[in-house]
Amino acid sequence: QVQLVESGGELVQAGGSLRVSCAASGGTFSLYAMGWFRQAPGKEREFVAAISRSGGTIYFADAVKGRFTISRDNAKNTVYLQMNSLKPEDTAVYYCAAKFSLNSDYVSRNFKEYVYWGQGTQVTVSS
């Protein structure tokens, strides 16, 4: 059983930057592909970014491409989402998720494929 704990969400002004983190425990972190998703009030959960076990394959949603980066530190069992040039429409609860994968380069945009989820961290971008 993998436990995921997000942190780093806060109120930030438009154009600003923020890094959110997700610390994993209870499993071998390097065996899991990791994803970030977000959900704004009244909207469905949407894909933001994902990274393979090896870090060699990365996907981004079009809405964040060029502004967000995702990285992982397998030694620290942590995945990061660096968010730059933030916009009010980035306001949401950000969740990290983990999916076990035998393929070190596998990564998914589909939230249904992720088994383990954190509790979320609130990111609010003021205009």
Side-chain angles (χ1 to χ4, degrees):
Q1 189 80 3
V2 175
Q3 293 82 44
L4 303 173
V5 178
E6 301 95 335
S7 61
E10 62 181 59
L11 173 65
V12 63
Q13 287 191 331
S17 297
L18 192 64
R19 188 178 79 164
V20 292
S21 303
C22 172
S25 62
T28 303
F29 182 69
S30 61
L31 296 180
Y32 291 82
M34 301 297 296
W36 283 98
F37 296 81
R38 67 187 181 186
Q39 188 165 19
K43 295 188 176 182
E44 295 185 350
R45 188 169 300 192
E46 65 174 358
F47 169 75
V48 177
I51 186 167
S52 63
R53 285 173 43 189
S54 67
T57 303
I58 291 175
Y59 291 159
F60 292 102
D62 289 342
V64 307
K65 202 171 293 183
R67 300 188 297 123
F68 290 13
T69 58
I70 185 172
S71 62
R72 65 189 295 160
D73 186 336
N74 286 346
K76 295 183 178 180
N77 293 348
T78 303
V79 61
Y80 306 97
L81 184 68
Q82 176 68 43
M83 302 181 286
N84 300 325
S85 302
L86 282 162
K87 305 175 181 179
E89 51 265 42
D90 294 318
T91 295
V93 177
Y94 282 71
Y95 299 91
C96 71
K99 170 184 165 47
F100 177 82
S101 176
L102 293 176
N103 183 339
S104 63
D105 292 321
Y106 179 82
V107 65
S108 174
R109 298 179 178 91
N110 185 351
F111 76 91
K112 295 180 180 179
E113 294 193 24
Y114 290 84
V115 175
Y116 302 104
W117 291 82
Q119 83 291 347
T121 186
Q122 176 70 48
V123 173
T124 303
V125 184
S126 64
S127 58

